[in-house]
Amino acid sequence: MKKLFGLMCAVLLITVLAACGNGESDSSNGDSGESASEGSGDAKVIKAGIGLNDDHPQYKGLLKFKEIVEKETDGAIKVETYHSGQLGDDRSMTEALQLGTQEVTIPSTAPLANFVPEFSVFDIPFLFPNEEVADKVLDGEVGQELLGKLEEQNLVGLAYWENGFRDLTNSERAVASVEDFEGLKIRTMENDLHLDAFKALGANPTPMAFTELFTAMQQGTVDGQENPYATIYLQKFYEVQKHVSNTHHIYSPFVFLMSKSFYDGLSEDQQKIVKDAAVEAGKYERKLNREANEKYLEQLQEEGMEYTEITDEARQEMKDAVAPVIEEYKSKIGEETVDKVYKAIEEAK
């Protein structure tokens, strides 16, 4: 009986050891075990926040970025997405990237001018004639050169996305000419060139965080604002605004930003993956944005907004009104940068 019991114990011990050996062999076979481990507990996490809501093409582009990165890294990098200003406004999220407490945000270039003054070049009124020219300039040498300047601010610019041509809305009157701007209280981004340009047009510009804008228009603190049609519609500004004009006064790019401290902590392969993903998702976002802006202008009118088409003559008057402001800001932006952008625009036409 003792011999039988001893034999059974020996068999059990051998079985347990064999099972342990198989488990160790499986976990070290190829990269699958390592990826699974990284995906579950050791994955790098990108917190990506934007100010716009989850219906906006920008957020859909962010989901595309998430899809590409998580697929290409086999889950070694996870992307958490936050919309509607859940992590703060553009400036506070950009500062969080500098501090390393957030990994990605996608602000317009206007607030970025507070960090890199040369980005104010994209706030020059009536700079780009159309989206195609903007694409060529932004994705070309001068656009990439500007992205490189962000590293001095502990930021990495991976790609340009699109906010689009900014157009004016207000609750007071139709705006068809320079004279119609007179006295309108217009919310702008926190950008001196925007503020001075609207003053030159005769308006009373007020810088304000985007998250406060709807309430400010509802309460009459400001008469209007300026944004692309997609933003105007998706933020339901038609509920508190009566008039929309296609002023197309500024083409506003988004910049896909990553915290430099996080980016530097990635492997070269991972850096390439996030860079390529930002570019690919940006092309997707631009396409969605252009389709959306056409659709949303129609829907704004269906919601009761009155649309005013700006004539070429009226737009030229607006250009003439802001010309002294542009001349004044050339030295602040950097004359070399301004000249390079204008030259690139002429070559791209």
Side-chain angles (χ1 to χ4, degrees):
M1 189 71 172
K2 289 182 179 179
K3 288 183 179 180
L4 179 59
F5 178 74
L7 182 60
M8 290 173 64
C9 289
V11 171
L12 180 62
L13 180 60
I14 291 169
T15 303
V16 170
L17 289 173
C20 291
N22 287 339
E24 183 177 334
S25 175
D26 286 344
S27 66
S28 60
N29 185 19
D31 295 331
S32 58
E34 183 178 323
S35 295
S37 171
E38 289 180 0
S40 58
D42 302 326
K44 292 181 170 69
V45 176
I46 292 174
K47 293 192 299 295
I50 61 171
L52 296 167
N53 69 26
D54 56 346
D55 285 327
H56 195 281
Q58 188 191 46
Y59 187 69
K60 294 174 183 176
L62 188 55
L63 293 179
K64 174 64 74 174
F65 172 79
K66 169 184 171 71
E67 174 190 325
I68 295 168
V69 168
E70 292 183 352
K71 178 182 177 183
E72 293 298 319
T73 63
D74 293 324
I77 299 177
K78 298 290 186 184
V79 182
E80 297 176 355
T81 60
Y82 300 86
H83 56 80
S84 306
Q86 291 171 302
L87 301 182
D89 60 21
D90 282 349
R91 181 160 187 160
S92 63
M93 286 191 285
T94 302
E95 290 171 347
L97 262 63
Q98 291 179 304
L99 295 170
T101 56
Q102 184 177 327
E103 288 70 45
V104 163
T105 191
I106 317 173
S108 294
T109 50
L112 270 186
N114 294 302
F115 302 88
V116 178
E118 288 90 342
F119 272 100
S120 284
V121 71
F122 298 125
D123 297 306
I124 291 176
F126 309 105
L127 181 67
F128 291 113
N130 54 56
E131 292 96 340
E132 290 72 27
V133 169
D135 289 349
K136 289 179 182 178
V137 174
L138 294 169
D139 298 338
E141 183 178 344
V142 65
Q144 299 306 302
E145 184 180 313
L146 284 167
L147 290 183
K149 293 181 180 294
L150 289 162
E151 293 200 14
E152 300 168 11
Q153 297 295 321
N154 204 31
L155 301 165
V156 177
L158 294 180
Y160 290 98
W161 289 20
E162 178 176 272
N163 193 1
F165 279 106
R166 305 179 75 87
D167 294 295
L168 184 73
T169 72
N170 79 96
S171 58
E172 294 295 309
R173 56 181 174 268
V175 172
S177 66
V178 172
E179 289 76 19
D180 296 325
F181 279 92
E182 189 65 35
L184 285 177
K185 294 177 289 184
I186 304 297
R187 176 267 175 185
T188 69
M189 289 183 282
E190 297 178 43
N191 181 280
D192 289 341
L193 179 48
H194 281 212
L195 291 167
D196 288 343
F198 273 101
K199 287 176 184 174
L201 289 167
N204 293 326
T206 301
M208 182 182 297
F210 184 76
T211 50
E212 301 171 8
L213 178 54
F214 186 96
T215 301
M217 292 189 294
Q218 189 176 42
Q219 296 176 346
T221 306
V222 295
D223 299 319
Q225 60 83 54
E226 41 87 48
N227 262 299
Y229 299 136
T231 303
I232 296 166
Y233 181 80
L234 292 171
Q235 298 298 135
K236 298 185 177 181
F237 290 164
Y238 53 79
E239 293 182 356
V240 290
Q241 298 279 273
K242 180 65 177 174
H243 303 279
V244 57
S245 303
N246 72 325
T247 49
H248 272 33
H249 50 279
I250 288 171
Y251 175 85
S252 181
F254 287 130
V255 179
F256 192 104
L257 292 179
M258 180 168 280
S259 166
K260 188 174 187 298
S261 58
F262 178 81
Y263 184 80
D264 288 347
L266 300 176
S267 68
E268 286 187 16
D269 286 345
Q270 289 173 335
Q271 288 178 349
K272 184 176 188 308
I273 286 170
V274 297
K275 166 73 173 175
D276 291 348
V279 171
E280 184 178 339
K283 291 177 180 177
Y284 173 75
E285 186 268 349
R286 282 173 175 171
K287 179 176 180 292
L288 289 184
N289 198 60
R290 288 163 196 180
E291 292 170 351
N293 275 316
E294 290 182 18
K295 176 182 72 175
Y296 290 135
L297 176 57
E298 295 176 5
Q299 293 182 334
L300 286 172
Q301 294 173 80
E302 290 172 5
E303 292 290 345
M305 291 195 79
E306 294 180 8
Y307 173 65
T308 301
E309 181 82 26
I310 304 295
T311 65
D312 291 341
E313 292 76 16
R315 187 171 282 107
Q316 185 58 52
E317 288 178 0
M318 295 174 192
K319 289 181 182 180
D320 294 342
V322 300
V325 176
I326 296 171
E327 195 61 35
E328 176 190 343
Y329 271 83
K330 273 187 178 180
S331 59
K332 296 179 182 179
I333 297 168
E335 290 195 20
E336 183 181 355
T337 298
V338 174
D339 290 342
K340 280 183 179 179
V341 170
Y342 273 119
K343 181 181 178 183
I345 288 170
E346 288 305 312
E347 291 175 351
K349 284 181 180 178

